[in-house]
Amino acid sequence: MDFMFSADIRSYKNMRNDELREAFVTKPLFSAGAINLTYTDVDRGVVAGIMPTSQSIVLPTHKELAADYFCQRREAGVINIGGNGTITVDGVSYPMANKDSLYIAKESKDVEFFSADENAPAKFYLVSYPAHRVTKTVHVPKEAAQSIELGSQQTSNERTIFQSIRPGLVDSCQLVMGITELKPGSVWNTKPPHTHFRRTEIYMYFDLPVDERVFHLMGEPKEVRSLSLEPEVAIASPSWSIHSGVGTTNYTFIWAMGGENQEFDDMDHLTVADLK
C-alpha cells in the first residue's frame, strides 16, 4: 500500500507540480492481476484499483490499518469500469457489469474480486473511508442509480450524473459515490466551480484516450493550481480546495466524498471570475 501525505492550505502555494502530485495524486491504479492500494491522510481515505485476470484477488488488510481485516472499521464503495466481473462479500456473490456499484458495509470480513473473462478483465475502482456503524452491503446496477442531467453544450459542460451510493439508495456512514459522464463536445466537469468545506472528495478520470488529459484545478479560489492528469489515476481533494477541472476531450469520472454530511446541495458556489 502506498501512502500520500497531503500539503496544507498554506504550503501548497509554494509547491512544484511534481510535489503536488506526490501529495495528492495516486500512481496508475490498474495492473493486470494485481491490486494497487493508496492511503491518503485526506480524511484517511483509501483508494484502490483491482484488476483480476485468471485468478481472483482478495481485499487485504495492512498493518498500518491496525485491523484484523480491511473493513473491520471501514466502509467501501466499488465501481467497475472494465469487463464483467463478480465481487463476493462474506460468501454472497454480486455480479458487476460495467459501471455497476457495490457498497461494502463495515465489518464485512471476506471480500474477493473476480473477472468473468481474463481477456476482458473487470477493473474495480474502490474508495474507502472509516465507518462508525454497521449497515448493509448493497449492489446498485448503473440503471438503478439516480440520474441527473446538468449543464449545456453552450457552456461545454453537458453531463449526466449517476448517484449510486447515496441516501435513499444506500445507507452508508459517510461515503457518497457516483459517476459523471460528459457528453461529446463538453469538457468541464463542474461549472461553475465550488467548494464544500464539510466534505473532502476523491476524483478518478477515465474513458479518455491515453494521450489526452484532464487539467484538474485545486487550491483556494485566489490561489489556483492545475495538475495535468492521465486516465485512471485518482486525486484527493481536501475540504479547503476548489472542485473543478477541464479536459482536452470529453471523459467520465468517478467522484467519492466523505465528511460531516451527505447533502449534495451543501456546497459553496463560485464563479469562474472568482478564480485567480
Side-chain angles (χ1 to χ4, degrees):
M1 185 160 64
D2 293 327
F3 292 86
M4 294 194 307
F5 299 100
S6 59
D8 62 34
I9 195 171
R10 292 175 291 275
S11 60
Y12 87 93
K13 300 173 185 179
N14 299 312
M15 295 172 69
R16 303 187 308 268
N17 275 16
D18 62 320
E19 294 173 320
L20 289 172
R21 287 183 68 94
E22 183 178 355
F24 295 107
V25 183
T26 69
K27 297 174 183 176
L29 289 167
F30 296 101
S31 305
I35 176 171
N36 297 316
L37 291 114
T38 300
Y39 182 105
T40 172
D41 62 359
V42 176
D43 275 351
R44 293 184 289 160
V46 176
V47 181
I50 307 158
M51 190 176 176
T53 51
S54 59
Q55 303 292 323
S56 64
I57 295 175
V58 174
L59 182 62
T61 191
H62 290 264
K63 73 178 185 66
E64 291 86 359
L65 299 180
D68 296 326
Y69 52 94
F70 186 89
C71 287
Q72 186 175 13
R73 294 185 299 275
R74 287 182 163 271
E75 60 185 350
V78 183
I79 295 178
N80 179 19
I81 67 167
N84 290 341
T86 302
I87 303 174
T88 63
V89 180
D90 292 335
V92 179
S93 295
Y94 299 92
M96 295 286 290
N98 183 262
K99 295 180 182 174
D100 281 3
S101 302
L102 182 70
Y103 172 75
I104 303 174
K106 176 181 181 287
E107 296 188 6
S108 298
K109 188 172 184 180
D110 299 313
V111 182
E112 194 166 0
F113 301 85
F114 303 80
S115 288
D117 181 355
E118 65 177 293
N119 296 311
K123 298 169 79 172
F124 297 109
Y125 173 68
L126 177 148
V127 176
S128 171
Y129 285 104
H132 60 278
R133 62 188 174 92
V134 178
T135 57
K136 182 182 178 181
T137 296
V138 179
H139 174 243
V140 184
K142 183 184 179 184
E143 58 270 19
Q146 181 168 319
S147 62
I148 303 170
E149 301 291 332
L150 287 178
S152 69
Q153 188 178 51
Q154 288 75 17
T155 51
S156 303
N157 69 333
E158 189 176 11
R159 62 201 190 276
T160 305
I161 299 174
F162 297 92
Q163 299 173 346
S164 53
I165 299 176
R166 59 151 294 150
L169 288 176
V170 173
D171 179 24
S172 66
C173 292
Q174 63 170 316
L175 176 68
V176 291
M177 190 172 182
I179 303 168
T180 298
E181 296 179 350
L182 276 72
K183 303 291 178 66
S186 287
V187 292
W188 285 95
N189 61 39
T190 182
K191 190 178 180 183
H194 63 270
T195 63
H196 32 70
F197 199 76
R198 280 70 54 191
R199 291 176 290 163
T200 61
E201 192 159 6
I202 296 173
Y203 294 83
M204 194 276 287
Y205 301 101
F206 66 106
D207 277 355
L208 68 159
V210 295
D211 57 348
E212 301 287 350
R213 293 292 182 267
V214 176
F215 289 85
H216 183 91
L217 305 180
M218 65 163 293
E220 295 178 280
K222 297 190 182 305
E223 287 282 352
V224 175
R225 299 292 182 270
S226 66
L227 289 172
S228 174
L229 299 184
E230 63 270 32
E232 299 182 0
V233 299
I235 182 167
S237 182
S239 59
W240 46 264
S241 176
I242 66 166
H243 300 150
S244 190
V246 60
T248 56
T249 183
N250 64 307
Y251 51 92
T252 303
F253 67 99
I254 295 173
W255 42 267
M257 291 181 284
E260 294 186 28
N261 65 41
Q262 298 175 311
E263 301 297 326
F264 286 97
D265 293 334
D266 180 19
M267 60 182 69
D268 301 312
H269 291 284
L270 302 163
T271 69
V272 175
D274 292 322
L275 303 183
K276 304 295 183 183

